[in-house]
Amino acid sequence: MTTTDRDARRVLDAYDHLGRGDRFHVAVRWRSCPFPQVEAHVPRAGRILDVGCGHGLFALYLAARAPERHVVGGALDADELLSAGQAAERAGLPVRFAQSADGVLPDGPWDVITVIDVLYLLGAEVALDLVRRAAAALAPGGVVVVKEIDLRPRWKYRLARVQEVVSTRVTRITEGDAVAFVPPDDIAGAMTAAGLTVDRQPLDRGSLHPHLLLMGRRRVGEIDDG
């Protein structure tokens, strides 16, 4: 078993105390998102905020992979945050969680802000505003890491859209009433307008879904003037 596998097992085992529905949600979430590939692009030290962390799965995984990361998970749902805190305690990981209302981010500045499969549930206007606010909360040299679904190739996009409609409206695995994938060009444009240098990293090799990572970095010595 590799180190990556051991860290994943440590995190997933921490949710064994949850009810069947929550355990199923966590298992599906892990299988549907390439968390190890995303984690590999996150700096291994610094203050990290995971926005829309849900049950805290990625926040715990970030901490398990690198103890120099000081991770905070932020989300709206108090019940999910309670489960996340319990899982962190069971895993022996010093991850903190904070409830955020009306899209307000916990106080920064942050070295890294991760937004993993969140924007498509918010609607384009709210999603892009979140990207801009995340950029404003970065420390110099900090990076916003957004994982979303690309719109191409079209067949992969259509498959991902069907799956998310089922998840939000039928099985209710994912919370949200609408599925509206934000065009990656619009996300990158919001990052650029906020003064970030943008890099794109496709993560869909070997996957049926067009996973895409967008990373916007603020230059060292530069601060956001709001």
Side-chain angles (χ1 to χ4, degrees):
M1 180 181 291
T2 67
T3 302
T4 302
D5 292 336
R6 288 197 298 270
D7 291 333
R9 190 71 267 157
R10 175 186 181 185
V11 169
L12 291 170
D13 286 349
Y15 293 92
D16 283 349
H17 68 292
L18 298 182
R20 181 181 300 176
D22 285 335
R23 292 200 310 273
F24 180 67
H25 174 96
V26 169
V28 170
R29 186 80 182 97
W30 180 264
R31 292 176 184 275
S32 63
C33 179
F35 285 123
Q37 291 174 268
V38 177
E39 182 274 331
H41 288 86
V42 176
R44 297 186 65 80
R47 296 188 70 218
I48 300 178
L49 173 64
D50 184 32
V51 176
C53 69
H55 290 84
L57 184 58
F58 188 56
L60 265 62
Y61 186 63
L62 286 174
R65 293 291 295 146
E68 297 82 8
R69 291 170 174 155
H70 303 284
V71 184
V72 175
L76 290 172
D77 191 291
D79 290 336
E80 287 185 344
L81 290 177
L82 177 61
S83 297
Q86 292 171 343
E89 185 175 355
R90 289 171 63 90
L93 294 168
V95 179
R96 296 189 297 109
F97 295 95
Q99 189 170 15
S100 56
D102 299 325
V104 177
L105 301 180
D107 290 339
W110 301 94
D111 299 302
V112 184
I113 297 177
T114 58
V115 188
I116 311 301
D117 293 324
V118 171
L119 299 184
Y120 77 99
L121 296 170
L122 304 179
E125 183 177 349
V126 175
L128 296 178
D129 183 60
L130 175 58
V131 172
R132 288 187 286 266
R133 285 185 287 109
L138 286 180
V143 58
V144 176
V145 178
V146 173
K147 188 272 164 189
E148 278 292 325
I149 292 295
D150 203 348
L151 305 187
R152 297 183 183 281
R154 297 297 292 180
W155 71 269
K156 286 189 176 184
Y157 165 70
R158 286 192 290 267
L159 178 62
R161 181 171 176 77
V162 169
Q163 176 178 308
E164 291 303 330
V165 168
V166 171
S167 296
T168 55
R169 300 179 184 177
V170 180
T171 65
R172 297 291 182 178
I173 292 173
T174 302
E175 293 187 8
D177 297 321
V179 174
F181 290 107
V182 183
D185 286 348
D186 292 352
I187 300 172
M191 289 180 172
T192 300
L196 307 184
T197 301
V198 181
D199 180 42
R200 300 189 189 206
Q201 182 66 48
L203 300 179
D204 66 326
R205 185 173 182 179
S207 172
L208 293 176
H209 298 86
H211 301 297
L212 176 67
L213 205 61
L214 295 111
M215 294 164 286
R217 185 176 299 277
R218 187 169 301 288
R219 290 188 293 272
V220 175
E222 180 183 82
I223 60 174
D224 182 76
D225 58 13

